[in-house]
Amino acid sequence: MKIKLLIWITICILVFSTLCGCTTIKKAKEDAENIVQSYNSEVIDYDTALRNLESIEMDKQEVAEYVNETILYLEELRNSKNNYNKAEKLFSNKKYGEAVIYYEKVLADDMNYNDAQNKITDSKKEFIELTIDEAESYVKDEEYLKAINLYKNAIKTYDDGTMNEKIIELESKYKDLLEIKAEDYIKDKKWSEAIDMYEELENYFNDDSYSVKITQTQNEYISEAISKAEMYTKNGDYDTAKNEINNAIRIIGYDAELNDELDRIISFEPLLITELDEFYKDGNVHKWAGIDKDNTGTSYPSGLLVNESGGYMFSGPASSEIEYLLDGKYDRMTGKVVLHYDCKDIADESVAAGQIKIYGDGELLYSSDVVASGVMPQDFNLNISGVNRLKIEFLWILTPYGFDMGQIKFGVVNPIVQKNYTKKNKWIIQDERCNNE
């Protein structure tokens, strides 16, 4: 009997302990849930909720695990509420696109969830309307590309199809605008601007047909640039002619026809013969220096000079010469025969005198008058078409009298060779254009 009683008492104790344990776990879970609910309802703040959870007695492993899981959830709930608060602030500042991002992060268990879902709908609607308003401000000024880019960036956040339709509409207007501008620029012969328009169209729409337009516009520009350059070249305005071609090259880039035209212009430019290499020189021929002056006191940038002194009684004439190879490139030669300033009063014909002779391929083309004191500078303008070898001969005679030694210092100043302008053959121009295309 005693044994049965002891067994009964033991069973009661075990059952009671189990019942008490279950009650403790259930109670702990209920307390944890109530704490979370209080925080969710904003009855208590996060720190209070966390302290209350940590104060729950966790002598049972099951209770400890549940409380720890609840603490982790509490952290998630706090993040959800922070996202909601950020979204609310962005919404009030009309930053609807950013607000949507944070509203979408609100948890379904968060008491703010329903409001967040409603605000997502409102934000998207406001976002589209605000984007359209901003885009329309660009459209009014025909700044279609800015409006298009605004829509494209907005679509990354949200679009219900409205903004995509707007993009299609604006791209059509953008295309029409640039094409009209390009045509107007062509009419006004603003070639660079016209080419820019077509390049912008080609790049944006990835349409090869605009490459044809670009080529056509470039060819028109090339024709006009060459036409203007020819006019300036004909009038002797070589710098302006070269500027026309160089401007076209700067805009279009390398072009064989333009480069040929530039070479053609240069071929007509006057050239100081002293800039050519000497083929042959015999005697005492020097370059005319910048400080040298003629017997009238005039300075010249370039020329050829002979300086001779001495001589014998009744001596004959002497000479020096210099030759250049022209290869038949030039048609005219101009310059002056002058007496140097140092001899303006001492080159008496009876004592010292000079003379210049110019030959083309051995044929005498020019013979100056005597160069002596009192003789003015002598201009010459010679036909040298087809001349390959040009020779300039300096002749002088020195006849000292008594103890006076004769001296003669004279030369040719500004000796320029130049090719005559010839009109460019239109058939050549057309052939060049066809070859380039």
Side-chain angles (χ1 to χ4, degrees):
M1 185 70 180
K2 290 182 179 179
I3 294 173
K4 289 182 179 181
L5 180 62
L6 288 172
I7 292 172
W8 173 251
I9 292 171
T10 302
I11 291 171
C12 289
I13 292 171
L14 290 172
V15 170
F16 180 76
S17 299
T18 301
L19 290 173
C20 287
C22 289
T23 302
T24 302
I25 293 171
K26 182 178 179 181
K27 179 70 166 54
K29 288 183 177 181
E30 288 177 353
D31 289 346
E33 289 173 359
N34 289 334
I35 293 169
V36 171
Q37 185 60 37
S38 295
Y39 172 67
N40 194 11
S41 303
E42 299 181 357
V43 175
I44 59 176
D45 60 21
Y46 173 79
D47 291 335
T48 301
L50 182 61
R51 284 197 303 271
N52 291 345
L53 285 173
E54 290 174 343
S55 67
I56 294 175
E57 187 174 343
M58 291 181 280
D59 54 342
K60 303 285 184 186
Q61 182 177 354
E62 186 178 351
V63 173
E65 289 176 354
Y66 184 81
V67 171
N68 288 332
E69 289 175 1
T70 305
I71 289 173
L72 292 176
Y73 174 71
L74 182 70
E75 175 66 20
E76 292 177 3
L77 191 59
R78 179 174 73 161
N79 291 336
S80 173
K81 291 184 177 297
N82 287 340
N83 287 328
Y84 176 80
N85 291 332
K86 288 179 182 178
E88 287 285 273
K89 186 175 182 180
L90 291 166
F91 186 91
S92 65
N93 290 329
K94 297 184 178 181
K95 295 181 178 180
Y96 303 112
E98 295 176 60
V100 169
I101 295 171
Y102 288 99
Y103 280 132
E104 289 178 340
K105 294 180 180 180
V106 176
L107 296 176
D109 295 338
D110 193 325
M111 64 171 289
N112 299 309
Y113 178 76
N114 289 335
D115 184 61
Q117 293 302 303
N118 293 331
K119 288 288 182 63
I120 287 172
T121 302
D122 294 341
S123 295
K124 288 178 176 179
K125 180 181 177 182
E126 294 289 344
F127 174 68
I128 290 175
E129 291 179 358
L130 192 66
T131 302
I132 291 173
D133 288 342
E134 186 178 353
E136 284 301 313
S137 67
Y138 292 127
V139 172
K140 288 178 182 178
D141 297 328
E142 294 187 333
E143 293 181 310
Y144 298 121
L145 188 58
K146 287 185 178 180
I148 291 168
N149 288 334
L150 179 67
Y151 282 131
K152 285 185 175 181
N153 287 328
I155 283 176
K156 296 174 184 177
T157 300
Y158 171 74
D159 183 33
D160 60 359
T162 302
M163 290 190 288
N164 190 56
E165 291 176 359
K166 290 285 186 181
I167 290 173
I168 295 171
E169 176 189 341
L170 289 179
E171 284 182 336
S172 178
K173 291 182 178 181
Y174 176 55
K175 183 177 182 180
D176 291 342
L177 176 67
L178 294 189
E179 287 181 347
I180 291 170
K181 280 187 174 182
E183 290 170 4
D184 288 341
Y185 283 136
I186 290 173
K187 289 177 183 177
D188 296 335
K189 297 187 177 181
K190 295 181 178 179
W191 309 107
S192 176
E193 291 85 347
I195 291 169
D196 287 343
M197 290 298 100
Y198 285 131
E199 286 180 344
E200 191 171 337
L201 283 162
E202 182 185 25
N203 292 334
Y204 184 87
F205 293 101
N206 196 26
D207 187 342
D208 292 338
S209 67
Y210 291 111
S211 295
V212 177
K213 292 280 190 181
I214 291 169
T215 301
Q216 290 173 344
T217 305
Q218 288 176 337
N219 286 339
E220 288 185 55
Y221 182 22
I222 290 169
S223 294
E224 189 200 50
I226 290 176
S227 178
K228 284 185 175 181
E230 286 292 318
M231 178 187 69
Y232 290 125
T233 302
K234 181 180 179 180
N235 295 330
D237 191 353
Y238 306 105
D239 288 339
T240 305
K242 288 188 289 186
N243 285 338
E244 281 289 337
I245 300 303
N246 284 324
N247 285 338
I249 291 174
R250 178 178 54 81
I251 293 168
I252 293 174
Y254 173 81
D255 179 82
E257 190 175 353
L258 290 174
N259 282 6
D260 289 345
E261 180 64 19
L262 194 59
D263 291 340
R264 174 175 156 81
I265 294 167
I266 293 171
S267 74
F268 291 119
E269 285 188 288
L271 177 69
L272 285 165
I273 202 168
T274 50
E275 294 180 7
L276 295 173
D277 292 332
E278 302 161 358
F279 176 64
Y280 170 76
K281 182 169 72 172
D282 173 31
N284 192 21
V285 182
H286 305 283
K287 294 285 181 69
W288 183 281
I291 59 173
D292 289 319
K293 297 183 292 184
D294 68 12
N295 58 342
T296 68
T298 303
S299 298
Y300 302 92
S302 180
L304 298 167
L305 176 69
V306 167
N307 183 12
E308 295 291 343
S309 61
Y312 299 95
M313 185 71 70
F314 308 119
S315 62
S319 68
S320 290
E321 60 186 48
I322 188 168
E323 281 192 45
Y324 296 94
L325 294 181
L326 304 184
D327 297 327
K329 294 179 181 178
Y330 307 99
D331 298 303
R332 288 183 294 123
M333 179 180 182
T334 58
K336 289 178 185 287
V337 176
V338 299
L339 179 68
H340 196 278
Y341 188 81
D342 292 348
C343 294
K344 74 183 185 69
D345 298 322
I346 61 173
D348 186 283
E349 280 191 55
S350 62
V351 178
Q355 186 181 29
I356 298 291
K357 291 186 178 184
I358 300 176
Y359 299 85
D361 294 331
E363 179 183 350
L364 179 63
L365 303 177
Y366 171 73
S367 180
S368 73
D369 294 336
V370 172
V371 181
S373 298
V375 176
M376 293 294 290
Q378 304 170 49
D379 292 311
F380 61 85
N381 189 336
L382 310 178
N383 181 358
I384 59 170
S385 296
V387 170
N388 292 305
R389 294 180 65 162
L390 183 83
K391 180 174 76 172
I392 303 175
E393 185 179 25
F394 301 80
L395 297 97
W396 68 89
I397 185 167
L398 299 172
T399 308
Y401 181 77
F403 294 103
D404 294 327
M405 300 295 289
Q407 181 183 13
I408 185 69
K409 195 173 182 182
F410 69 110
V412 177
V413 293
N414 284 357
I416 291 173
V417 291
Q418 189 171 11
K419 180 180 178 181
N420 290 335
Y421 175 79
T422 54
K423 188 175 180 180
K424 191 169 186 177
N425 190 323
K426 66 178 181 179
W427 299 113
I428 294 176
I429 296 174
Q430 291 175 356
D431 287 344
E432 290 175 346
R433 184 66 45 75
C434 291
N435 290 334
N436 288 337
E437 293 177 355

